[in-house]
Amino acid sequence: MGDILAEAINTADQRIRQFLQQFKDQFGSEAGHVIRVPGRVNLIGEHIDYCGYAVHPMAIEQDILVGVKRCTNGLDLVNQDSSLYKPYKLDSLNNLEISTEKIHWWSYFLCGLKGIYEEMNIENPAGIQVFVAGQIPPSAGLSSSSALVVGAAAAALVSNGKTMDRSELASLCARAERYIGTQGGGMDQAIEILAVEGQAKLIEFNPLKAYDVQLPHGAVFVVANSLQEKNKAASNEFNSRVVECRLAAKILGKRLLQGEDWKDLTKLRDVQIKSGRSLDQMKDEVEKILCKQEYTREDVLKELDISDAYLRKNILTANTGDLNLFKLQQRARHVFSESSRVYQFQQICQQGSGDGSLKALGDLMTASHVSCRDDYECSAPRLDELVESALKLGAYGSRLTGAGWGGCAVSLVPVEKVESFMEGLLNMFYKDVENKQNVAFVTKPGSGLRLWKA
């Protein structure tokens, strides 16, 4: 993809001009650079990136803007919505420490800074004044938190006179977000940095590869907010799914591989590749090997012949150390079936447009939601109700997007039905909501990270 290079800023753009004035009003001087990072919607492929499998997201037009200016030292970070997101200051940017106990909005920004400083061995980083303005709804599953990490990483680069290849930056930002304690897989950061306007992406990991995918004509994607919020970093449900998949990988690997190879494996894809099996064959193995509906902690220790201390130190995370029940069959079944749906989705897109193709894509999306709801248990009552409403209103398919447990659903809607679909959502699903502004919107594939010289 090449290095991230600064472009000339378009001061004719009213939003950019207003943003630059807000920066000047806040700090008394002009911004040096402006960074734009989009949100994202995952079309299909939920909770499988951290298992090593490909995903199918696209960047959306909603974004955050980050204005940056070098200063003597420290950090002066201000959000446009300062009543909700309090300003944050540091006297020095050396040896940044990020708490996983209490997560603030600026915690994500520190992740991006720390990732760059440590990766590039930057000692005594330049001080920065930063102003942030965002259009991405928070806790909606549209990756507003990862956008902050990416924006901060770009700010750290430009303020210290550094640059980096886009693919390398995507991998770095995925690692950096784990400072907050969330064991994500890298989808959000990859699409926010690598996206190309007009194209969705199929993104593979280890190594990171991104393929442009032209979506069929005749339908659009509508993103609708369930208004049921969930912050994945503030609970252990996300990390619980990560460790359940790790445990499933360990047990499957121990049964399917020779010798002690399973001990080094943490991802279900690694087990599949090393055992030489197809996704369908892995689904069969899940039913045969992970045959219990629930595994106790004692079951896991016995299956793997490990101590509780080993389990806690090498497999569980800080906020999942006391888990006692694990649904390994259900989680692994979702991962293998969802990965299969991702490549089916890509193949249908490559075949071209037509009502049959759109219906097939919609069926895959709805099947994905059912799997997320039943096998992965990462949906929520309002999300399920939203998906059902979308299907009743004529969507080809609908599914939760993002980590789940709240947030948004994405629906594939025939172009000719968009107006009636949106009106129906407002009258059916949002009928008791007072402020209906921006609860649902039509979106198309947007561009990734941009850097402008002010």
Side-chain angles (χ1 to χ4, degrees):
M1 292 290 293
D3 285 359
I4 297 157
L5 302 174
E7 310 166 59
I9 199 164
N10 179 16
T11 51
D13 184 300
Q14 183 178 353
R15 181 182 173 220
I16 295 292
R17 196 164 61 244
Q18 183 180 8
F19 179 78
L20 289 171
Q21 185 59 52
Q22 288 174 322
F23 185 99
K24 187 176 181 180
D25 292 345
Q26 178 65 44
F27 296 112
S29 58
E30 309 278 356
H33 290 84
V34 175
I35 297 152
R36 175 194 176 270
V37 187
R40 67 96 188 93
V41 59
N42 191 22
L43 303 178
I44 200 161
E46 218 62 74
H47 284 280
I48 62 174
D49 54 344
Y50 53 77
C51 295
Y53 284 107
V55 292
H56 212 312
M58 72 180 194
I60 58 176
E61 295 160 292
Q62 284 76 3
D63 58 22
I64 66 166
L65 294 178
V66 180
V68 187
K69 180 180 175 62
R70 281 181 60 137
C71 60
T72 308
N73 51 49
L75 171 67
D76 191 350
L77 176 62
V78 179
N79 195 299
Q80 182 185 49
D81 190 355
S82 57
S83 60
L84 192 58
Y85 305 105
K86 301 299 182 187
Y88 182 71
K89 286 190 177 186
L90 284 174
D91 294 331
S92 171
L93 288 170
N94 286 318
N95 305 313
L96 287 177
E97 293 185 3
I98 302 170
S99 171
T100 59
E101 296 298 317
K102 185 155 178 64
I103 311 299
H104 302 276
W105 77 273
W106 42 260
S107 305
Y108 293 97
F109 201 87
L110 295 185
C111 286
L113 297 180
K114 185 179 177 73
I116 292 295
Y117 298 156
E118 293 195 352
E119 181 81 12
M120 306 195 83
N121 297 313
I122 297 174
E123 297 181 3
N124 300 314
I128 45 175
Q129 296 171 319
V130 182
F131 187 74
V132 177
Q135 300 174 323
I136 310 169
S139 300
L142 301 177
S143 200
S144 57
S145 54
S146 293
L148 277 172
V149 176
V150 171
L157 285 172
V158 72
S159 62
N160 289 281
K162 305 287 186 181
T163 189
M164 182 177 280
D165 175 80
R166 282 180 178 263
S167 293
E168 289 180 18
L169 181 62
S171 296
L172 181 148
C173 287
R175 296 192 299 273
E177 191 162 333
R178 293 173 196 152
Y179 291 132
I180 212 94
T182 302
Q183 303 293 308
M187 169 183 66
D188 299 348
Q189 301 82 3
I191 191 63
E192 290 178 340
I193 294 170
L194 303 177
V196 175
E197 188 172 3
Q199 304 280 337
K201 289 275 190 185
L202 185 131
I203 299 175
E204 296 179 336
F205 303 95
N206 305 313
L208 181 65
K209 294 180 182 179
Y211 304 93
D212 290 340
V213 177
Q214 180 66 53
L215 299 168
H217 299 292
V220 296
F221 289 99
V222 174
V223 177
N225 197 333
S226 72
L227 303 179
Q228 186 167 342
E229 293 189 1
K230 184 64 176 266
N231 184 334
K232 67 184 179 184
S235 73
N236 75 345
E237 290 191 54
F238 184 93
N239 281 356
S240 295
R241 299 301 183 274
V242 175
V243 299
E244 284 175 312
C245 289
R246 284 182 191 167
L247 287 169
K250 296 281 189 190
I251 294 174
L252 288 169
K254 188 177 182 190
R255 296 282 193 93
L256 298 176
L257 303 176
Q258 299 296 317
E260 301 292 299
D261 285 357
W262 65 272
K263 287 190 174 179
D264 296 326
L265 300 183
T266 58
K267 297 179 180 178
L268 287 165
R269 181 174 179 268
D270 293 340
V271 179
Q272 183 207 341
I273 298 301
K274 286 186 178 293
S275 67
R277 285 166 168 80
S278 68
L279 286 167
D280 285 339
Q281 287 172 327
M282 289 305 299
K283 283 186 276 186
D284 291 339
E285 297 292 359
V286 166
E287 304 302 321
K288 288 187 287 188
I289 296 172
L290 301 174
C291 52
K292 293 186 176 184
Q293 289 299 299
E294 280 190 326
Y295 283 75
T296 65
R297 198 175 180 109
E298 291 72 25
D299 290 334
V300 167
L301 299 180
K302 185 177 179 181
E303 284 277 355
L304 296 177
D305 192 22
I306 57 175
S307 67
D308 194 81
Y310 181 94
L311 175 70
R312 187 180 289 271
K313 180 181 178 183
N314 296 291
I315 300 175
L316 303 181
T317 64
N319 66 345
T320 60
D322 294 326
L323 289 181
N324 288 304
L325 288 175
F326 308 93
K327 294 186 177 181
L328 307 185
Q329 181 194 91
Q330 298 92 319
R331 310 314 185 215
R333 183 168 56 215
H334 165 77
V335 170
F336 292 129
S337 63
E338 185 78 344
S339 178
S340 179
R341 284 187 285 269
V342 167
Y343 284 102
Q344 291 177 57
F345 196 97
Q346 180 198 31
Q347 289 165 5
I348 294 167
C349 288
Q350 290 171 341
Q351 291 167 4
S353 300
D355 196 54
S357 294
L358 293 170
K359 285 179 179 175
L361 292 178
D363 288 344
L364 288 172
M365 291 173 66
T366 303
S368 171
H369 182 79
V370 171
S371 183
C372 286
R373 181 193 68 202
D374 296 345
D375 274 346
Y376 224 70
E377 296 180 281
C378 62
S379 190
R382 285 287 286 172
L383 261 179
D384 294 336
E385 185 184 338
L386 178 55
V387 167
E388 289 171 12
S389 297
L391 294 173
K392 286 177 183 175
L393 290 167
Y396 286 120
S398 186
R399 62 181 296 277
L400 67 82
T401 185
W405 296 289
C408 290
V410 58
S411 303
L412 184 64
V413 180
V415 169
E416 67 274 12
K417 290 186 177 179
V418 170
E419 192 172 329
S420 62
F421 180 88
M422 297 294 280
E423 185 178 337
L425 271 186
L426 292 177
N427 293 333
M428 182 188 297
F429 185 77
Y430 297 110
K431 63 180 183 296
D432 297 323
V433 176
E434 286 188 19
N435 182 10
K436 295 180 172 64
Q437 187 176 5
N438 299 324
V439 290
F441 56 87
V442 178
T443 191
K444 57 185 178 181
S447 62
L449 170 68
R450 302 283 296 276
L451 172 63
W452 296 302
K453 186 169 177 55

